[in-house]
Amino acid sequence: MDIREQYKILEFGDLGDDRGNLVVVEGEQDIPFEIKRVFYIYGSDEKVIRGQHANRKAEFVLINVSGTSKVRVDNGFQEEIIELNRPRMGLYLPTMLWKDMYDFSRDSVLLVLSNIHYDGGEYIRDYEEYLKEVKGLEKT
Ligand code: TYD
């Protein structure tokens, strides 16, 4: 499948008024899953690479609520780089996509929503193992 059909760029509405902006993200409405977990990453800089894993069960929506970062997604055949640079922009990542997050601006606050609670066992952190799985090869 074309990688551009695997991830989705989401655009959230703004309920703001002259008091400021207000962005609401509701599970199963603005994003395609029920939200079970929220975490956020800040204090990373342009030298840091985070992520570097794929997930068998976790789906994510990434939102740079402040600042900017880049996400490289890889499905074993193709890769794409997406810049998160607006608080109203979300990036939906399905299971089994390899992802790296990097190029964090100093003021970056990267908010992440997920469909499941944390389970370290559903992570694939070895790229060669990931490639074997997505390419359907037998494990040695
Ligand atoms: P890590 O997976 O390296 O963060 P990322 O890949 O998103 O940059 O997570 C760092 C540590 O935090 C690791 O020991 C696992 C733990 N962790 C949790 O306990 N719960 C979570 O929801 C997340 C994302 C990480």
Side-chain angles (χ1 to χ4, degrees):
M1 189 196 286
D2 192 296
I3 194 166
R4 286 164 300 182
E5 293 172 23
Q6 292 182 279
Y7 68 82
K8 287 194 192 75
I9 306 288
L10 309 173
E11 197 69 38
F12 306 122
D14 187 348
L15 303 177
D17 52 31
D18 54 10
R19 297 170 298 166
N21 301 96
L22 172 65
V23 179
V24 179
V25 181
E26 296 206 39
E28 298 180 292
Q29 294 184 17
D30 305 293
I31 60 169
F33 53 75
E34 188 186 336
I35 300 163
K36 286 269 184 63
R37 178 165 52 121
V38 176
F39 58 95
Y40 43 95
I41 294 167
Y42 62 99
S44 298
D45 62 25
E46 72 285 345
K47 297 187 287 293
V48 168
I49 303 177
R50 300 199 62 115
Q52 301 189 290
H53 52 69
N55 297 74
R56 291 191 174 87
K57 296 183 192 158
E59 301 167 46
F60 299 101
V61 168
L62 283 63
I63 307 166
N64 250 113
V65 293
S66 167
T68 61
S69 69
K70 293 195 181 88
V71 184
R72 190 183 73 86
V73 289
D74 176 343
N75 65 4
F77 301 91
Q78 303 162 285
E79 65 168 34
E80 283 280 324
I81 293 170
I82 301 116
E83 180 166 5
L84 296 174
N85 54 15
R86 289 170 282 127
R88 286 174 51 200
M89 172 185 183
L91 172 62
Y92 167 73
L93 300 178
T95 61
M96 290 306 283
L97 266 192
W98 190 267
K99 52 234 167 228
D100 297 330
M101 293 89 83
Y102 63 102
D103 241 354
F104 296 93
S105 64
R106 290 273 169 189
D107 60 347
S108 173
V109 181
L110 179 59
L111 179 71
V112 184
L113 315 174
S114 182
N115 63 321
I116 61 167
H117 294 296
Y118 181 72
D119 168 10
E122 62 93 24
Y123 280 67
I124 305 172
R125 293 187 179 274
D126 177 341
Y127 186 67
E128 294 305 316
E129 184 190 335
Y130 170 73
L131 282 183
K132 276 185 198 162
E133 286 207 24
V134 289
K135 298 197 179 208
L137 297 177
E138 290 288 324
K139 278 191 199 148
T140 52

